[in-house]
Amino acid sequence: GKSTFTVLLADILHYMKGYRVLVADCDYPQKSIFDQRKRELALLDRSPRYKSLLVRQFGATRREIWPVIASAPERALTDVDRQLGMLREPVDFVLFDLPGTPGVLRTLSAIDRIFVPMKADRYVMESTLAFAKSVDDHLVRNPDVQTAGVHLFWTMIDRRERTPLYDLYDKALEKLGLHRMETHIPYRSRFSKELSAEEGPIFRSTILLPEKSFI
């Protein structure tokens, strides 16, 4: 869910809260956010409704669509610096969508805060805990690095499912000294729904603010 949360957070900060946002899609090689932006811009040319919504959104927020660049973890900082120098206005937030592998530690060391979605699945949690602990040990607890915290939160929660895994992993997180946010994100199929030719409701989009009830 890293890419989905990056898109939704960019929408809320940029269009709702009035901050200027730049997104760096470093989840190489799939570039899911960058590719979604290209699909949506192509769809915009064929959709009077989406075009009208974008005009209304600009009138209400005075915000153009937030910029997104495609990069890779090892060159992300250089690419972001180059893009910042090309923008007309300074940005308030740079959001990095990164793969959850230890190889991105150098890039992570230049990021203020790292947010890690967790799913209560043994295979997912093994890699998640190893990654978060590595970041916490090498970056957060390192006084020479600016990373202020790694924050984990539960996502894809199926409320019909009864599992002791949440309690077990919460105890493991506490024992490891890792910070878990209070936020719990339920499973919803709408998280994966993009703009479509049918011009239905807006959920995950890089150019339009999602439905208020969804936010």
Side-chain angles (χ1 to χ4, degrees):
K2 298 185 299 294
S3 300
T4 294
F5 282 115
T6 302
V7 168
L8 295 175
L9 183 58
D11 286 344
I12 291 169
L13 289 173
H14 191 77
Y15 301 128
M16 287 184 66
K17 302 297 184 181
Y19 293 107
R20 291 179 294 272
V21 172
L22 167 66
V23 171
D25 184 353
C26 311
D27 203 1
Y28 186 84
Q30 56 263 35
K31 307 192 307 291
S32 55
I33 299 176
F34 188 79
D35 288 344
Q36 182 182 347
R37 169 62 62 79
K38 288 196 294 185
R39 289 193 299 272
E40 291 186 326
L41 289 176
L43 182 60
L44 196 66
D45 286 337
R46 307 190 302 271
S47 171
R49 176 174 175 261
Y50 289 147
K51 203 173 294 184
S52 174
L53 288 174
L54 186 61
V55 170
R56 274 191 280 169
Q57 178 174 277
F58 178 76
T61 65
R62 310 310 297 176
R63 282 274 180 268
E64 297 178 1
I65 58 177
W66 41 263
V68 55
I69 62 170
S71 186
E74 62 273 11
R75 65 170 193 270
L77 301 178
T78 302
D79 289 347
V80 164
D81 282 341
R82 184 186 303 114
Q83 184 67 24
L84 291 174
M86 296 167 58
L87 296 175
R88 294 194 302 268
E89 297 179 306
V91 304
D92 301 297
F93 292 98
V94 178
L95 305 180
F96 292 82
D97 183 30
L98 291 161
T101 56
V104 302
L105 285 179
R106 180 180 172 275
T107 301
L108 290 173
S109 67
I111 294 175
D112 298 305
R113 293 190 180 272
I114 299 155
F115 297 88
V116 183
M118 302 181 293
K119 182 183 178 185
D121 173 278
R122 292 182 187 275
Y123 292 114
V124 173
M125 288 303 295
E126 282 181 11
S127 60
T128 299
L129 290 177
F131 171 77
K133 185 61 177 168
S134 179
V135 169
D136 190 59
D137 288 343
H138 293 95
L139 302 183
V140 178
R141 300 181 189 277
N142 185 345
D144 298 324
V145 174
Q146 72 180 48
T147 306
V150 55
H151 309 279
L152 299 100
F153 61 97
W154 289 116
T155 186
M156 297 186 184
I157 296 174
D158 187 345
R159 301 202 183 281
R160 300 167 299 178
E161 182 184 24
R162 299 290 181 183
T163 175
L165 286 178
Y166 292 107
D167 292 335
L168 292 171
Y169 282 122
D170 280 344
K171 290 177 182 176
L173 291 169
E174 186 177 355
K175 190 173 181 179
L176 292 170
L178 296 172
H179 175 251
R180 180 182 63 78
M181 300 172 69
E182 293 298 320
T183 300
H184 286 64
I185 307 296
Y187 172 78
R188 293 284 187 274
S189 60
R190 292 176 293 180
F191 277 110
S192 61
K193 291 185 177 178
E194 299 183 16
L195 300 187
S196 68
E198 287 73 34
E199 300 184 335
I202 298 162
F203 298 117
R204 185 183 68 188
S205 171
T206 72
I207 63 175
L208 291 169
L209 192 63
E211 306 279 333
K212 286 185 178 180
S213 60
F214 180 58
I215 292 175

